[in-house]
Amino acid sequence: MKRSKTMEFGVGLFMLAGILGLVFLGLRVSGLSLSAPTDTFRLEANFANIGGLKPRARVTMAGVTVGRVEAIELDTDWYDARVILRLDSDLEGQLSQDTTAAILTAGLLGEQYIGLSVGGAPEMLEDGDTIRDTQSALVLEELIQQFVSNMASS
Amino acid sequence: MQSKFKQGATQITRLGRKGCDAMEALGRAGVFLGQSAVGIPSREGWRLWLRQMHFVGVLSLAIVLVSGLFIGMVLALQGYTILVDFGAEQALGQMVALSLLRELAPVVAALLFAGRAGSALTAEIGLMKATEQLTSMEMIGVDPLRRVVAPRLWAGFVALPILTVGFSVVGIWGGYLVGVEWLGVFEGSYWSNMQASVSFINDVGNGMIKSLVFAVVVTWIAVFQGYDLVPTSEGISRATTRTVVYSSLAVLGLDFVLTAVMFGGL
């Protein structure tokens, strides 16, 4: 009987460890947060070229992560990329209309993310607005092409 | 000429018989799984399940966790030497976590499980059959499928996914030890790159689905081989070998199919 009790305890501990492991994988490894995901607002931005930007990429402001890229789609009116951003609701009504969004790269070969920098206009961006002033990703081939044609002409 | 024709015909007959035998075995295995996996376990069945969980799960923990630790460490070491050439060693955490969660943890844990627990299940049930314990159970009106087989099947179904989670967690920690503590990758980028790229549904969830499928397949093969063997000492040894060989092949083959379905579109 005693032996069976310790066995039950062991199995219970084993299953508990499994659940805790899954929680670890959720929180620490895949970065889920326990806070409700509703306190965000949505902005859109059109880019001529998004380079290697992916959904779930970071949106930063002065290097601080303030949101994520929710979706990327092709805008068939202008044939450019429409990027939908989800930002912390603290920033709602805090970003001016002439905020710029630029696609930046972490390191030489790192992941691409969006950097926002605030302008000075008195009107503020609200939920669902579009950022007008955008700067596309640097595409290495285009840079090289420019460099080579500059070299050739000089 | 005549005899040669006859010989060829015998060959074809033999091939056909083999095919029929294989089909029959598959059918028996299917009926066997259906009969033993259904039915609400009684209070007694619960205790039997618990004992099997202890044997199949808790006692497999040591080998699975130690393997996970070493595989995580090796991944980090190998990954670092490759990534550092591109100046991308910050992506180490991402590499370790994704390869463990999507591929290595489900597959290696299932292979270890087949070797550690599957072969033992086959040998145990096989010896029960050889010593006619199963037949005597039937004689006293106890269904061996429910009494012997069902607890083992369900213990396997539950234990392997838990072992897989443990494998991943320990592997990621091992990668952290080597990458951050030893090779000096910045700790913040190890975790934040991982969190930015690992999706709970797509990576952790699909890994869990994989390991659940492997759990069903490995346990099913192990228990069925034990139940269906020729009840001699040679038969037991052959069935144990078959368990390990079949489950390893099934795990690796199914892994390809599942990966193609889950990640092929990415």
Side-chain angles (χ1 to χ4, degrees), chain A residues 8-119:
Chain A
E8 281 169 23
F9 184 73
V11 173
L13 215 59
F14 173 67
M15 297 183 70
L16 185 70
I19 292 166
L20 286 181
L22 209 58
V23 170
F24 173 83
L25 289 182
L27 296 182
R28 192 75 210 249
V29 175
S30 35
L32 296 180
S33 59
L34 290 172
S35 58
T38 48
D39 50 350
T40 58
F41 74 108
R42 172 191 154 106
L43 287 180
E44 293 180 7
N46 282 33
F47 291 91
N49 190 339
I50 54 162
L53 191 74
K54 299 233 167 38
R56 282 169 53 80
R58 285 184 303 142
V59 178
T60 66
M61 202 161 198
V64 181
T65 304
V66 293
R68 294 205 175 271
V69 172
E70 187 176 65
I72 299 170
E73 54 201 33
L74 186 69
D75 185 343
T76 44
D77 294 339
W78 299 94
Y79 292 99
D80 56 7
R82 185 193 296 132
V83 176
I84 295 156
L85 312 175
R86 280 262 159 220
L87 302 185
D88 297 348
S89 56
D90 309 351
L91 288 173
E92 190 169 6
Q94 302 283 320
L95 300 172
S96 61
Q97 287 271 329
D98 57 347
T99 296
T100 51
I103 297 181
L104 308 169
T105 309
L108 191 58
L109 293 162
E111 40 155 6
Q112 292 194 299
Y113 63 98
I114 292 186
L116 297 179
S117 39
V118 205

Side-chain angles (χ1 to χ4, degrees), chain A residues 4 7-8 28-29 56, chain B residues 47 50 54 86 191 195 198:
Chain A
S4 144
M7 190 187 76
E8 281 169 23
R28 192 75 210 249
V29 175
R56 282 169 53 80
Chain B
R47 297 202 83 82
L50 210 66
H54 177 73
F86 302 103
W191 293 114
Q195 287 169 1
V198 174

Side-chain angles (χ1 to χ4, degrees), chain B residues 76-252:
Chain B
L77 196 54
Q78 289 277 18
Y80 182 81
T81 54
I82 295 168
L83 290 172
V84 81
D85 287 345
F86 302 103
E89 66 268 23
Q90 301 90 352
L92 188 68
Q94 171 183 353
M95 203 209 78
V96 169
L98 284 182
S99 23
L100 276 171
L101 289 172
R102 288 185 178 178
E103 235 12 89
L104 284 170
V107 171
V108 178
L111 293 178
L112 290 171
F113 185 78
R116 161 70 181 69
S119 56
L121 287 180
T122 306
E124 193 187 5
I125 296 180
L127 199 66
M128 279 187 188
K129 188 177 181 184
T131 53
E132 294 183 341
Q133 291 179 47
L134 296 183
T135 330
S136 24
M137 262 183 207
E138 257 171 28
M139 238 144 32
I140 58 171
V142 176
D143 183 3
L145 285 182
R146 293 195 64 174
R147 168 90 197 179
V148 175
V149 172
R152 286 170 172 75
L153 271 179
W154 281 105
F157 294 171
V158 178
L160 183 51
I162 297 180
L163 290 172
T164 304
V165 169
F167 191 103
S168 298
V169 170
V170 171
I172 287 166
W173 181 64
Y176 169 84
L177 281 185
V178 168
V180 177
E181 304 282 341
W182 180 25
L183 296 169
V185 173
F186 178 56
E187 180 176 355
S189 54
Y190 184 85
W191 293 114
S192 72
N193 257 317
M194 193 186 287
Q195 287 169 1
S197 58
V198 174
S199 133
F200 189 72
I201 308 272
N202 286 330
D203 298 321
V204 181
N206 277 343
M208 284 295 101
I209 292 174
K210 268 188 181 181
S211 97
L212 201 63
V213 171
F214 295 161
V216 171
V217 169
V218 170
T219 324
W220 180 23
I221 289 177
V223 174
F224 178 69
Q225 289 294 344
Y227 197 75
D228 202 50
L229 52 68
V230 185
T232 59
S233 46
E234 195 194 359
I236 294 178
S237 90
R238 287 210 173 158
T240 315
T241 314
R242 267 207 304 273
T243 294
V244 177
V245 172
Y246 287 177
S247 354
S248 307
L249 288 178
V251 164
L252 294 170

